[in-house]
Amino acid sequence: MAAFARSAPCWVDVQLPDLEAGKRFYGELFGWTFRPGEGPYADAYSGGRLVAALVAKQDGRMPTAWGIYFATDDAAASVARIREAGGTVITDPVWAGRAGVVAQAADPGGAVFGLWQAGEREGFEKQNEPVSFCWTEVHTRQRDRVDAFYEEVFGFQGTDLGASGADASDSGTSGSGTPESGDSGSDASDSDVPGTSDASGTSGAGGSGSAEPGATGNGTAEPGSAEPDTTERGSAEPGSAEPDATEHGSAASGPDFRMWSPAGTEPGLATAIGGRSVITDAFPAELPSYFLVCFAVDDCNSTAGHAVRLGGRITEPPFDVPYGRMAVLQDDQGAVFAVLQPVVSGKRAE
C-alpha cells in the first residue's frame, strides 16, 4: 500500500441511514464488494483493493453524505494550524485502534473535512482508475478566506481558472481542474440518460461517527444540523458553483475556480489534486459550503442511467468538459457524489 503525500486526499466514506441498502446500491453501481469493519461500517473494495467505506449513521440528525480526508503525518500539528488559520476543530485527534489517528474540522466557510494520520491503514488502495476516487472540490461562499486557509494549513498552491482566472485560456479549461485519469470518451447526449432532472441537489453535508476512516463522515460545520433544501442547485461545469445559464441564470463574471496542487510541485492541471469553487448568490442561502467527491467511471451516461434504475437520481445530467464527461448523482438514500468519464488519452470530449 503506497503512502500518501502530506495533504493529499487519502480516504472517502459515506454516512448512510441504511448500511445494507447502501451496499446494494454501490455494489450494483460500481461493482464494489464489501467486508465488515470493526464497528458500524463496511469497507468497500474494487478488484480486491480498498476504495472507500460505507458507514451506518449513529445519529439520525446527521446529514447523509460523502466525506473526504486529507493525509497528515502529524494530526495534532495540523489541528493547531487549522485553529490558527481560522478553521474550526470539530473532533480532536483520536486513535482509531491501530489503523491511525483521525480528526475532523471545518474551514472558515463551514465545509467539513477529515484528517488522517496513517497507522496500519494508509488510506484507499485504488484511485484515478474506474470506480475509484479521482477528485474532490470544496464549494464555498468565502472564497478569499478559504483560499488563504487551505494554503496555510495544507500548503496548497493555486491555479485559477474561469473568468477571473488568468490561466483559463492556457489550460483549456473553463471552470474545473478535474484531472484526466483514464481512457474513454462519449458523445451521447443528455437525452440518452433516463431520469435526468433540470434541478440539482448537492448537499455535501455529513456527520461524525466512530473514529476510523470508514467510520467517520464529513459535512457542515455543525454536526447535527438539518440537511439543507438542495433542489435548486445546478452547475454548468464541475468545479463551478454557477447554475446552468440556460436554465437557472449565472453570475456575469462566469465560473470562478481554483485548482489545488501540493506544496513542492509545479502548480497546474498535471499536479492538481482538488479544487475550490464559489457558491454565488444565485443559490439558496440555506445551501452550506461542502466538499464534492468524484469517482472515475468508464461510461458516464450509462452510470447515471444505472443509478436511476437503482433508485437514485441525477442532480446534474451528464455534460461534457474539456477532460471528459461528468454528472452529479444522488444515491437512493440522498448522498450526493459525482462521476467522471475521462477523455480518450490526449483528446477532449466532443
Side-chain angles (χ1 to χ4, degrees):
M1 186 186 303
F4 290 83
R6 185 177 72 85
S7 302
C10 65
W11 187 249
V12 290
D13 63 20
V14 60
Q15 293 272 330
L16 298 170
D18 187 332
L19 180 59
E20 292 304 313
K23 289 163 67 175
R24 288 191 296 271
F25 180 90
Y26 290 102
E28 288 288 333
L29 185 68
F30 290 148
W32 289 350
T33 57
F34 301 92
R35 299 176 192 171
E38 297 180 2
Y41 72 97
D43 286 327
Y45 290 81
S46 173
R49 291 185 287 169
L50 190 62
V51 290
L54 277 55
V55 186
K57 292 200 298 184
Q58 300 301 290
D59 185 340
R61 297 171 299 173
M62 308 307 290
T64 299
W66 279 94
I68 183 75
Y69 297 79
F70 296 98
T72 177
D73 54 9
D74 188 336
S78 293
V79 162
R81 287 195 298 272
I82 287 168
R83 288 193 171 103
E84 292 169 359
T88 301
V89 176
I90 298 170
T91 305
D92 281 306
V94 59
W95 273 95
R98 293 179 297 179
V101 178
V102 67
Q104 191 178 50
D107 68 27
V112 172
F113 58 91
L115 298 173
W116 181 246
Q117 178 184 330
E120 293 184 353
R121 171 173 289 192
E122 297 285 355
F124 36 60
E125 299 168 336
K126 177 181 178 180
Q127 63 176 316
N128 298 323
E129 297 179 43
V131 301
S132 68
F133 171 84
C134 67
W135 185 255
T136 190
E137 56 194 40
V138 65
H139 292 240
T140 183
R141 290 183 171 85
Q142 303 287 329
R143 178 186 62 187
D144 294 341
R145 293 180 66 198
V146 164
D147 285 349
F149 174 84
Y150 287 105
E151 290 169 8
E152 181 175 346
V153 172
F154 291 135
F156 290 154
Q157 303 176 90
T159 302
D160 291 326
L161 306 176
S164 63
D167 291 347
S169 60
D170 295 338
S171 66
T173 62
S174 60
S176 175
T178 311
E180 301 175 44
S181 59
D183 293 338
S184 62
S186 174
D187 57 3
S189 66
D190 294 346
S191 61
D192 295 327
V193 183
T196 56
S197 168
D198 288 338
S200 61
T202 303
S203 74
S208 60
S210 62
E212 184 175 349
T216 305
N218 300 317
T220 60
E222 300 179 11
S225 62
E227 292 188 67
D229 177 359
T230 59
T231 58
E232 297 295 327
R233 185 180 177 275
S235 178
E237 300 260 358
S240 168
E242 306 294 334
D244 187 299
T246 61
E247 296 290 340
H248 307 284
S250 63
S253 61
D256 189 338
F257 190 82
R258 170 169 287 190
M259 294 189 303
W260 293 332
S261 295
T265 64
E266 183 68 26
L269 184 59
T271 58
I273 49 83
R276 182 271 300 146
S277 185
V278 174
I279 302 174
T280 71
D281 292 338
F283 294 92
E286 294 80 10
L287 180 66
S289 298
Y290 62 92
F291 271 92
L292 180 66
V293 171
C294 185
F295 298 97
V297 295
D298 284 327
D299 189 322
C300 180
N301 284 35
S302 176
T303 302
H306 196 186
V308 172
R309 290 189 291 274
L310 293 170
R313 66 184 289 253
I314 299 169
T315 64
E316 292 184 32
F319 53 96
D320 292 326
V321 289
Y323 34 76
R325 189 161 176 81
M326 191 171 187
V328 180
L329 310 176
Q330 191 176 75
D331 69 23
D332 58 348
Q333 299 184 66
V336 174
F337 59 99
V339 293
L340 172 69
Q341 173 189 341
V343 296
V344 176
S345 298
K347 297 182 180 178
R348 296 180 181 178
E350 298 296 330

